[in-house]
Amino acid sequence: MDAPSIDRVRAICRELPECEIDGEQHHKLSVRGRTIGWHTVDHHGDGRIALTVRAGPGENAELVASDPVRFFLPRYVARHGYVGVYLDLDDVDWDEIRELITDAYRIVAPKRLAAGVE
């Protein structure tokens, strides 16, 4: 599966201090060793390209309720506040993806790093 979305996710992460991405089909987004989320391709054979990121308390369920076609509760980590968003749809809102990644960064990053992000 081709995933040009990883290039866009990398570009967003480059704007965040010390944000790193590593991996092949399962790219981990992190800051100082703490996980922000994952960009996945065909995760567990689901045939999808998705981004899973930390969200604020209750926000994951709210996002899924607002648009269950775009958002999902990811197995294993939804109970820890993560939300998934499909990146293989025709109408991906990259401003919203930037906001989701930035919010996840602010939740996970050390306070000094997070304070420097608008």
mmCIF file of all heavy atoms in Angstrom, residues 59-104:
data_model
loop_
_atom_site.group_PDB
_atom_site.id
_atom_site.type_symbol
_atom_site.label_atom_id
_atom_site.label_comp_id
_atom_site.label_asym_id
_atom_site.label_seq_id
_atom_site.Cartn_x
_atom_site.Cartn_y
_atom_site.Cartn_z
ATOM 1 N N GLU A 59 -12.294 13.313 24.537
ATOM 2 C CA GLU A 59 -12.312 13.845 23.174
ATOM 3 C C GLU A 59 -12.374 12.733 22.135
ATOM 4 O O GLU A 59 -13.000 12.900 21.085
ATOM 5 C CB GLU A 59 -11.090 14.720 22.929
ATOM 6 C CG GLU A 59 -11.133 15.459 21.610
ATOM 7 C CD GLU A 59 -9.944 16.366 21.402
ATOM 8 O OE1 GLU A 59 -9.162 16.598 22.338
ATOM 9 O OE2 GLU A 59 -9.800 16.852 20.257
ATOM 10 N N ASN A 60 -11.755 11.581 22.407
ATOM 11 C CA ASN A 60 -11.765 10.507 21.422
ATOM 12 C C ASN A 60 -13.194 10.047 21.143
ATOM 13 O O ASN A 60 -13.586 9.899 19.983
ATOM 14 C CB ASN A 60 -10.840 9.354 21.811
ATOM 15 C CG ASN A 60 -11.161 8.694 23.119
ATOM 16 O OD1 ASN A 60 -12.032 9.130 23.871
ATOM 17 N ND2 ASN A 60 -10.431 7.625 23.425
ATOM 18 N N ALA A 61 -13.978 9.846 22.182
ATOM 19 C CA ALA A 61 -15.365 9.411 21.988
ATOM 20 C C ALA A 61 -16.187 10.492 21.279
ATOM 21 O O ALA A 61 -17.030 10.175 20.433
ATOM 22 C CB ALA A 61 -15.992 9.056 23.328
ATOM 23 N N GLU A 62 -15.931 11.752 21.601
ATOM 24 C CA GLU A 62 -16.645 12.851 20.953
ATOM 25 C C GLU A 62 -16.354 12.903 19.462
ATOM 26 O O GLU A 62 -17.259 13.107 18.649
ATOM 27 C CB GLU A 62 -16.279 14.186 21.591
ATOM 28 C CG GLU A 62 -16.800 14.375 22.998
ATOM 29 C CD GLU A 62 -16.280 15.644 23.650
ATOM 30 O OE1 GLU A 62 -15.715 16.512 22.952
ATOM 31 O OE2 GLU A 62 -16.437 15.767 24.880
ATOM 32 N N LEU A 63 -15.081 12.736 19.099
ATOM 33 C CA LEU A 63 -14.716 12.770 17.685
ATOM 34 C C LEU A 63 -15.364 11.618 16.917
ATOM 35 O O LEU A 63 -15.890 11.811 15.825
ATOM 36 C CB LEU A 63 -13.197 12.739 17.517
ATOM 37 C CG LEU A 63 -12.470 14.024 17.906
ATOM 38 C CD1 LEU A 63 -10.968 13.790 17.999
ATOM 39 C CD2 LEU A 63 -12.781 15.134 16.908
ATOM 40 N N VAL A 64 -15.335 10.432 17.492
ATOM 41 C CA VAL A 64 -15.952 9.274 16.834
ATOM 42 C C VAL A 64 -17.454 9.489 16.683
ATOM 43 O O VAL A 64 -18.028 9.205 15.628
ATOM 44 C CB VAL A 64 -15.646 7.967 17.595
ATOM 45 C CG1 VAL A 64 -16.428 6.798 17.013
ATOM 46 C CG2 VAL A 64 -14.146 7.669 17.560
ATOM 47 N N ALA A 65 -18.097 10.007 17.719
ATOM 48 C CA ALA A 65 -19.539 10.270 17.649
ATOM 49 C C ALA A 65 -19.861 11.317 16.589
ATOM 50 O O ALA A 65 -20.886 11.237 15.916
ATOM 51 C CB ALA A 65 -20.063 10.712 19.009
ATOM 52 N N SER A 66 -18.962 12.284 16.406
ATOM 53 C CA SER A 66 -19.211 13.347 15.439
ATOM 54 C C SER A 66 -19.060 12.878 13.994
ATOM 55 O O SER A 66 -19.706 13.413 13.104
ATOM 56 C CB SER A 66 -18.284 14.534 15.685
ATOM 57 O OG SER A 66 -16.961 14.238 15.267
ATOM 58 N N ASP A 67 -18.187 11.902 13.758
ATOM 59 C CA ASP A 67 -17.960 11.423 12.387
ATOM 60 C C ASP A 67 -17.328 10.030 12.406
ATOM 61 O O ASP A 67 -16.114 9.886 12.273
ATOM 62 C CB ASP A 67 -17.056 12.394 11.636
ATOM 63 C CG ASP A 67 -16.993 12.109 10.146
ATOM 64 O OD1 ASP A 67 -17.424 11.013 9.715
ATOM 65 O OD2 ASP A 67 -16.513 12.978 9.398
ATOM 66 N N PRO A 68 -18.146 8.984 12.575
ATOM 67 C CA PRO A 68 -17.622 7.618 12.664
ATOM 68 C C PRO A 68 -17.045 7.075 11.360
ATOM 69 O O PRO A 68 -16.427 6.009 11.363
ATOM 70 C CB PRO A 68 -18.824 6.795 13.120
ATOM 71 C CG PRO A 68 -20.019 7.602 12.764
ATOM 72 C CD PRO A 68 -19.587 9.033 12.777
ATOM 73 N N VAL A 69 -17.197 7.794 10.267
ATOM 74 C CA VAL A 69 -16.578 7.377 9.006
ATOM 75 C C VAL A 69 -15.103 7.759 9.003
ATOM 76 O O VAL A 69 -14.258 7.022 8.500
ATOM 77 C CB VAL A 69 -17.309 7.999 7.787
ATOM 78 C CG1 VAL A 69 -16.557 7.740 6.499
ATOM 79 C CG2 VAL A 69 -18.733 7.473 7.712
ATOM 80 N N ARG A 70 -14.783 8.909 9.590
ATOM 81 C CA ARG A 70 -13.390 9.389 9.618
ATOM 82 C C ARG A 70 -12.637 8.974 10.870
ATOM 83 O O ARG A 70 -11.449 8.714 10.817
ATOM 84 C CB ARG A 70 -13.346 10.922 9.512
ATOM 85 C CG ARG A 70 -13.680 11.416 8.153
ATOM 86 C CD ARG A 70 -13.464 12.906 7.979
ATOM 87 N NE ARG A 70 -14.029 13.694 9.062
ATOM 88 C CZ ARG A 70 -13.418 14.717 9.613
ATOM 89 N NH1 ARG A 70 -12.231 15.094 9.207
ATOM 90 N NH2 ARG A 70 -13.999 15.404 10.581
ATOM 91 N N PHE A 71 -13.317 8.939 12.003
ATOM 92 C CA PHE A 71 -12.658 8.666 13.280
ATOM 93 C C PHE A 71 -13.027 7.288 13.801
ATOM 94 O O PHE A 71 -14.107 6.777 13.514
ATOM 95 C CB PHE A 71 -13.063 9.720 14.318
ATOM 96 C CG PHE A 71 -12.607 11.102 13.981
ATOM 97 C CD1 PHE A 71 -13.499 12.024 13.455
ATOM 98 C CD2 PHE A 71 -11.292 11.484 14.176
ATOM 99 C CE1 PHE A 71 -13.090 13.310 13.131
ATOM 100 C CE2 PHE A 71 -10.871 12.768 13.854
ATOM 101 C CZ PHE A 71 -11.769 13.681 13.329
ATOM 102 N N PHE A 72 -12.134 6.715 14.609
ATOM 103 C CA PHE A 72 -12.402 5.422 15.230
ATOM 104 C C PHE A 72 -11.682 5.340 16.571
ATOM 105 O O PHE A 72 -10.739 6.088 16.834
ATOM 106 C CB PHE A 72 -11.971 4.269 14.310
ATOM 107 C CG PHE A 72 -10.492 4.205 14.037
ATOM 108 C CD1 PHE A 72 -9.660 3.378 14.786
ATOM 109 C CD2 PHE A 72 -9.919 4.974 13.022
ATOM 110 C CE1 PHE A 72 -8.294 3.326 14.533
ATOM 111 C CE2 PHE A 72 -8.554 4.913 12.756
ATOM 112 C CZ PHE A 72 -7.738 4.088 13.522
ATOM 113 N N LEU A 73 -12.162 4.427 17.400
ATOM 114 C CA LEU A 73 -11.504 4.152 18.669
ATOM 115 C C LEU A 73 -10.545 2.987 18.438
ATOM 116 O O LEU A 73 -10.986 1.870 18.168
ATOM 117 C CB LEU A 73 -12.535 3.795 19.751
ATOM 118 C CG LEU A 73 -13.462 4.932 20.164
ATOM 119 C CD1 LEU A 73 -14.521 4.424 21.141
ATOM 120 C CD2 LEU A 73 -12.672 6.081 20.782
ATOM 121 N N PRO A 74 -9.244 3.236 18.514
ATOM 122 C CA PRO A 74 -8.268 2.196 18.208
ATOM 123 C C PRO A 74 -8.200 1.138 19.310
ATOM 124 O O PRO A 74 -8.269 1.461 20.505
ATOM 125 C CB PRO A 74 -6.946 2.967 18.106
ATOM 126 C CG PRO A 74 -7.168 4.216 18.866
ATOM 127 C CD PRO A 74 -8.625 4.525 18.802
ATOM 128 N N ARG A 75 -8.092 -0.117 18.862
ATOM 129 C CA ARG A 75 -7.976 -1.222 19.813
ATOM 130 C C ARG A 75 -6.781 -0.997 20.721
ATOM 131 O O ARG A 75 -5.772 -0.425 20.292
ATOM 132 C CB ARG A 75 -7.787 -2.552 19.084
ATOM 133 C CG ARG A 75 -9.059 -3.063 18.474
ATOM 134 C CD ARG A 75 -8.927 -4.498 18.071
ATOM 135 N NE ARG A 75 -8.039 -4.616 16.915
ATOM 136 C CZ ARG A 75 -7.672 -5.761 16.399
ATOM 137 N NH1 ARG A 75 -8.071 -6.890 16.936
ATOM 138 N NH2 ARG A 75 -6.887 -5.783 15.350
ATOM 139 N N TYR A 76 -6.911 -1.450 21.920
ATOM 140 C CA TYR A 76 -5.856 -1.454 22.935
ATOM 141 C C TYR A 76 -5.564 -0.082 23.550
ATOM 142 O O TYR A 76 -5.245 -0.012 24.725
ATOM 143 C CB TYR A 76 -4.542 -2.038 22.406
ATOM 144 C CG TYR A 76 -4.687 -3.301 21.633
ATOM 145 C CD1 TYR A 76 -4.318 -3.364 20.300
ATOM 146 C CD2 TYR A 76 -5.217 -4.446 22.223
ATOM 147 C CE1 TYR A 76 -4.461 -4.540 19.579
ATOM 148 C CE2 TYR A 76 -5.369 -5.624 21.502
ATOM 149 C CZ TYR A 76 -4.988 -5.664 20.179
ATOM 150 O OH TYR A 76 -5.139 -6.813 19.467
ATOM 151 N N VAL A 77 -5.609 0.997 22.795
ATOM 152 C CA VAL A 77 -5.166 2.286 23.332
ATOM 153 C C VAL A 77 -6.275 3.334 23.472
ATOM 154 O O VAL A 77 -6.034 4.396 24.040
ATOM 155 C CB VAL A 77 -3.989 2.872 22.508
ATOM 156 C CG1 VAL A 77 -2.754 1.999 22.636
ATOM 157 C CG2 VAL A 77 -4.384 3.074 21.059
ATOM 158 N N ALA A 78 -7.467 3.059 23.000
ATOM 159 C CA ALA A 78 -8.562 4.033 23.133
ATOM 160 C C ALA A 78 -8.827 4.323 24.602
ATOM 161 O O ALA A 78 -9.083 5.471 24.981
ATOM 162 C CB ALA A 78 -9.824 3.531 22.452
ATOM 163 N N ARG A 79 -8.704 3.318 25.444
ATOM 164 C CA ARG A 79 -8.967 3.514 26.878
ATOM 165 C C ARG A 79 -7.923 4.412 27.538
ATOM 166 O O ARG A 79 -8.120 4.918 28.627
ATOM 167 C CB ARG A 79 -9.058 2.181 27.599
ATOM 168 C CG ARG A 79 -7.783 1.397 27.614
ATOM 169 C CD ARG A 79 -8.019 -0.011 28.179
ATOM 170 N NE ARG A 79 -6.821 -0.798 28.119
ATOM 171 C CZ ARG A 79 -6.019 -1.001 29.151
ATOM 172 N NH1 ARG A 79 -6.295 -0.459 30.320
ATOM 173 N NH2 ARG A 79 -4.944 -1.736 29.015
ATOM 174 N N HIS A 80 -6.811 4.629 26.819
ATOM 175 C CA HIS A 80 -5.768 5.531 27.312
ATOM 176 C C HIS A 80 -5.891 6.919 26.683
ATOM 177 O O HIS A 80 -4.976 7.735 26.797
ATOM 178 C CB HIS A 80 -4.381 4.959 27.025
ATOM 179 C CG HIS A 80 -4.127 3.658 27.703
ATOM 180 N ND1 HIS A 80 -3.998 3.533 29.070
ATOM 181 C CD2 HIS A 80 -4.012 2.406 27.194
ATOM 182 C CE1 HIS A 80 -3.792 2.264 29.370
ATOM 183 N NE2 HIS A 80 -3.811 1.562 28.262
ATOM 184 N N GLY A 81 -7.002 7.166 25.980
ATOM 185 C CA GLY A 81 -7.256 8.488 25.433
ATOM 186 C C GLY A 81 -6.831 8.694 23.988
ATOM 187 O O GLY A 81 -6.775 9.824 23.523
ATOM 188 N N TYR A 82 -6.534 7.611 23.263
ATOM 189 C CA TYR A 82 -6.134 7.754 21.866
ATOM 190 C C TYR A 82 -7.353 7.724 20.950
ATOM 191 O O TYR A 82 -8.356 7.070 21.248
ATOM 192 C CB TYR A 82 -5.177 6.630 21.462
ATOM 193 C CG TYR A 82 -3.786 6.796 22.010
ATOM 194 C CD1 TYR A 82 -3.467 6.391 23.296
ATOM 195 C CD2 TYR A 82 -2.789 7.376 21.243
ATOM 196 C CE1 TYR A 82 -2.190 6.549 23.808
ATOM 197 C CE2 TYR A 82 -1.505 7.538 21.745
ATOM 198 C CZ TYR A 82 -1.215 7.119 23.026
ATOM 199 O OH TYR A 82 0.052 7.280 23.528
ATOM 200 N N VAL A 83 -7.241 8.433 19.832
ATOM 201 C CA VAL A 83 -8.269 8.426 18.803
ATOM 202 C C VAL A 83 -7.597 8.130 17.465
ATOM 203 O O VAL A 83 -6.448 8.517 17.240
ATOM 204 C CB VAL A 83 -9.040 9.774 18.744
ATOM 205 C CG1 VAL A 83 -8.136 10.917 18.313
ATOM 206 C CG2 VAL A 83 -10.261 9.669 17.836
ATOM 207 N N GLY A 84 -8.302 7.429 16.603
ATOM 208 C CA GLY A 84 -7.787 7.143 15.272
ATOM 209 C C GLY A 84 -8.532 7.949 14.230
ATOM 210 O O GLY A 84 -9.722 8.247 14.386
ATOM 211 N N VAL A 85 -7.813 8.309 13.170
ATOM 212 C CA VAL A 85 -8.420 9.012 12.038
ATOM 213 C C VAL A 85 -7.884 8.373 10.759
ATOM 214 O O VAL A 85 -6.693 8.121 10.633
ATOM 215 C CB VAL A 85 -8.145 10.543 12.090
ATOM 216 C CG1 VAL A 85 -6.668 10.846 12.102
ATOM 217 C CG2 VAL A 85 -8.835 11.272 10.960
ATOM 218 N N TYR A 86 -8.794 8.067 9.845
ATOM 219 C CA TYR A 86 -8.401 7.435 8.595
ATOM 220 C C TYR A 86 -7.800 8.457 7.640
ATOM 221 O O TYR A 86 -8.368 9.532 7.434
ATOM 222 C CB TYR A 86 -9.595 6.741 7.941
ATOM 223 C CG TYR A 86 -10.063 5.549 8.729
ATOM 224 C CD1 TYR A 86 -11.305 5.530 9.342
ATOM 225 C CD2 TYR A 86 -9.243 4.426 8.876
ATOM 226 C CE1 TYR A 86 -11.731 4.432 10.074
ATOM 227 C CE2 TYR A 86 -9.659 3.322 9.606
ATOM 228 C CZ TYR A 86 -10.903 3.338 10.201
ATOM 229 O OH TYR A 86 -11.306 2.252 10.922
ATOM 230 N N LEU A 87 -6.656 8.119 7.066
ATOM 231 C CA LEU A 87 -5.967 9.004 6.127
ATOM 232 C C LEU A 87 -6.102 8.542 4.687
ATOM 233 O O LEU A 87 -5.511 9.139 3.793
ATOM 234 C CB LEU A 87 -4.484 9.102 6.500
ATOM 235 C CG LEU A 87 -4.180 9.630 7.891
ATOM 236 C CD1 LEU A 87 -2.674 9.652 8.121
ATOM 237 C CD2 LEU A 87 -4.783 11.012 8.102
ATOM 238 N N ASP A 88 -6.881 7.497 4.461
ATOM 239 C CA ASP A 88 -7.045 6.979 3.099
ATOM 240 C C ASP A 88 -8.387 7.386 2.491
ATOM 241 O O ASP A 88 -8.808 6.830 1.484
ATOM 242 C CB ASP A 88 -6.873 5.461 3.079
ATOM 243 C CG ASP A 88 -7.782 4.738 4.059
ATOM 244 O OD1 ASP A 88 -8.610 5.395 4.727
ATOM 245 O OD2 ASP A 88 -7.647 3.508 4.170
ATOM 246 N N LEU A 89 -9.012 8.385 3.063
ATOM 247 C CA LEU A 89 -10.267 8.910 2.522
ATOM 248 C C LEU A 89 -9.962 9.983 1.483
ATOM 249 O O LEU A 89 -8.868 10.556 1.474
ATOM 250 C CB LEU A 89 -11.123 9.495 3.646
ATOM 251 C CG LEU A 89 -11.491 8.517 4.772
ATOM 252 C CD1 LEU A 89 -12.180 9.257 5.909
ATOM 253 C CD2 LEU A 89 -12.377 7.412 4.237
ATOM 254 N N ASP A 90 -10.920 10.280 0.638
ATOM 255 C CA ASP A 90 -10.717 11.283 -0.414
ATOM 256 C C ASP A 90 -10.648 12.711 0.123
ATOM 257 O O ASP A 90 -10.063 13.577 -0.505
ATOM 258 C CB ASP A 90 -11.839 11.199 -1.455
ATOM 259 C CG ASP A 90 -11.753 9.930 -2.285
ATOM 260 O OD1 ASP A 90 -10.628 9.393 -2.445
ATOM 261 O OD2 ASP A 90 -12.810 9.468 -2.770
ATOM 262 N N ASP A 91 -11.245 12.951 1.274
ATOM 263 C CA ASP A 91 -11.360 14.324 1.761
ATOM 264 C C ASP A 91 -10.682 14.532 3.122
ATOM 265 O O ASP A 91 -11.276 15.060 4.050
ATOM 266 C CB ASP A 91 -12.830 14.726 1.842
ATOM 267 C CG ASP A 91 -13.631 13.826 2.771
ATOM 268 O OD1 ASP A 91 -13.142 12.732 3.129
ATOM 269 O OD2 ASP A 91 -14.740 14.223 3.171
ATOM 270 N N VAL A 92 -9.431 14.141 3.239
ATOM 271 C CA VAL A 92 -8.698 14.324 4.497
ATOM 272 C C VAL A 92 -8.490 15.815 4.732
ATOM 273 O O VAL A 92 -8.020 16.541 3.852
ATOM 274 C CB VAL A 92 -7.337 13.591 4.461
ATOM 275 C CG1 VAL A 92 -6.530 13.896 5.709
ATOM 276 C CG2 VAL A 92 -7.543 12.091 4.294
ATOM 277 N N ASP A 93 -8.842 16.258 5.913
ATOM 278 C CA ASP A 93 -8.669 17.661 6.302
ATOM 279 C C ASP A 93 -7.305 17.777 6.991
ATOM 280 O O ASP A 93 -7.171 17.496 8.185
ATOM 281 C CB ASP A 93 -9.800 18.075 7.245
ATOM 282 C CG ASP A 93 -9.715 19.522 7.684
ATOM 283 O OD1 ASP A 93 -8.641 20.162 7.508
ATOM 284 O OD2 ASP A 93 -10.717 20.024 8.237
ATOM 285 N N TRP A 94 -6.289 18.191 6.231
ATOM 286 C CA TRP A 94 -4.924 18.221 6.768
ATOM 287 C C TRP A 94 -4.723 19.301 7.821
ATOM 288 O O TRP A 94 -3.852 19.169 8.687
ATOM 289 C CB TRP A 94 -3.905 18.310 5.633
ATOM 290 C CG TRP A 94 -3.822 16.967 4.975
ATOM 291 C CD1 TRP A 94 -4.414 16.570 3.821
ATOM 292 C CD2 TRP A 94 -3.157 15.819 5.505
ATOM 293 N NE1 TRP A 94 -4.164 15.241 3.593
ATOM 294 C CE2 TRP A 94 -3.388 14.754 4.596
ATOM 295 C CE3 TRP A 94 -2.394 15.575 6.640
ATOM 296 C CZ2 TRP A 94 -2.875 13.470 4.813
ATOM 297 C CZ3 TRP A 94 -1.878 14.309 6.850
ATOM 298 C CH2 TRP A 94 -2.125 13.270 5.948
ATOM 299 N N ASP A 95 -5.550 20.333 7.833
ATOM 300 C CA ASP A 95 -5.492 21.307 8.923
ATOM 301 C C ASP A 95 -5.947 20.649 10.222
ATOM 302 O O ASP A 95 -5.376 20.878 11.284
ATOM 303 C CB ASP A 95 -6.352 22.533 8.617
ATOM 304 C CG ASP A 95 -5.769 23.395 7.515
ATOM 305 O OD1 ASP A 95 -4.525 23.396 7.349
ATOM 306 O OD2 ASP A 95 -6.556 24.055 6.809
ATOM 307 N N GLU A 96 -6.968 19.821 10.129
ATOM 308 C CA GLU A 96 -7.448 19.093 11.300
ATOM 309 C C GLU A 96 -6.407 18.072 11.772
ATOM 310 O O GLU A 96 -6.191 17.915 12.979
ATOM 311 C CB GLU A 96 -8.764 18.393 10.979
ATOM 312 C CG GLU A 96 -9.346 17.635 12.151
ATOM 313 C CD GLU A 96 -10.693 17.042 11.824
ATOM 314 O OE1 GLU A 96 -10.801 16.328 10.808
ATOM 315 O OE2 GLU A 96 -11.638 17.292 12.593
ATOM 316 N N ILE A 97 -5.742 17.405 10.839
ATOM 317 C CA ILE A 97 -4.689 16.449 11.195
ATOM 318 C C ILE A 97 -3.555 17.178 11.912
ATOM 319 O O ILE A 97 -3.051 16.713 12.936
ATOM 320 C CB ILE A 97 -4.161 15.703 9.952
ATOM 321 C CG1 ILE A 97 -5.291 14.920 9.264
ATOM 322 C CG2 ILE A 97 -2.989 14.803 10.307
ATOM 323 C CD1 ILE A 97 -5.985 13.896 10.104
ATOM 324 N N ARG A 98 -3.180 18.339 11.411
ATOM 325 C CA ARG A 98 -2.151 19.156 12.073
ATOM 326 C C ARG A 98 -2.584 19.490 13.503
ATOM 327 O O ARG A 98 -1.802 19.401 14.445
ATOM 328 C CB ARG A 98 -1.908 20.441 11.278
ATOM 329 C CG ARG A 98 -0.896 21.390 11.920
ATOM 330 C CD ARG A 98 -0.727 22.673 11.121
ATOM 331 N NE ARG A 98 -0.499 22.448 9.703
ATOM 332 C CZ ARG A 98 0.643 22.036 9.164
ATOM 333 N NH1 ARG A 98 1.670 21.787 9.935
ATOM 334 N NH2 ARG A 98 0.757 21.864 7.864
ATOM 335 N N GLU A 99 -3.828 19.873 13.666
ATOM 336 C CA GLU A 99 -4.349 20.213 14.992
ATOM 337 C C GLU A 99 -4.339 18.988 15.918
ATOM 338 O O GLU A 99 -3.952 19.094 17.087
ATOM 339 C CB GLU A 99 -5.771 20.756 14.854
ATOM 340 C CG GLU A 99 -6.370 21.219 16.150
ATOM 341 C CD GLU A 99 -7.764 21.805 15.964
ATOM 342 O OE1 GLU A 99 -8.051 22.381 14.906
ATOM 343 O OE2 GLU A 99 -8.560 21.669 16.910
ATOM 344 N N LEU A 100 -4.737 17.825 15.415
ATOM 345 C CA LEU A 100 -4.733 16.604 16.226
ATOM 346 C C LEU A 100 -3.321 16.238 16.675
ATOM 347 O O LEU A 100 -3.098 15.886 17.838
ATOM 348 C CB LEU A 100 -5.353 15.440 15.450
ATOM 349 C CG LEU A 100 -6.859 15.496 15.232
ATOM 350 C CD1 LEU A 100 -7.284 14.441 14.210
ATOM 351 C CD2 LEU A 100 -7.604 15.306 16.549
ATOM 352 N N ILE A 101 -2.359 16.317 15.755
ATOM 353 C CA ILE A 101 -0.972 15.994 16.093
ATOM 354 C C ILE A 101 -0.423 17.017 17.089
ATOM 355 O O ILE A 101 0.232 16.652 18.068
ATOM 356 C CB ILE A 101 -0.093 15.912 14.829
ATOM 357 C CG1 ILE A 101 -0.503 14.703 13.974
ATOM 358 C CG2 ILE A 101 1.388 15.819 15.206
ATOM 359 C CD1 ILE A 101 0.164 14.643 12.610
ATOM 360 N N THR A 102 -0.696 18.282 16.856
ATOM 361 C CA THR A 102 -0.204 19.331 17.751
ATOM 362 C C THR A 102 -0.813 19.192 19.144
ATOM 363 O O THR A 102 -0.120 19.330 20.157
ATOM 364 C CB THR A 102 -0.495 20.726 17.159
ATOM 365 O OG1 THR A 102 0.122 20.807 15.867
ATOM 366 C CG2 THR A 102 0.043 21.833 18.043
ATOM 367 N N ASP A 103 -2.103 18.896 19.219
ATOM 368 C CA ASP A 103 -2.743 18.690 20.520
ATOM 369 C C ASP A 103 -2.141 17.486 21.238
ATOM 370 O O ASP A 103 -1.893 17.534 22.445
ATOM 371 C CB ASP A 103 -4.252 18.504 20.371
ATOM 372 C CG ASP A 103 -4.981 19.779 19.993
ATOM 373 O OD1 ASP A 103 -4.369 20.873 20.063
ATOM 374 O OD2 ASP A 103 -6.170 19.688 19.623
ATOM 375 N N ALA A 104 -1.903 16.407 20.499
ATOM 376 C CA ALA A 104 -1.286 15.214 21.092
ATOM 377 C C ALA A 104 0.106 15.547 21.612
ATOM 378 O O ALA A 104 0.499 15.122 22.703
ATOM 379 C CB ALA A 104 -1.227 14.087 20.068
#
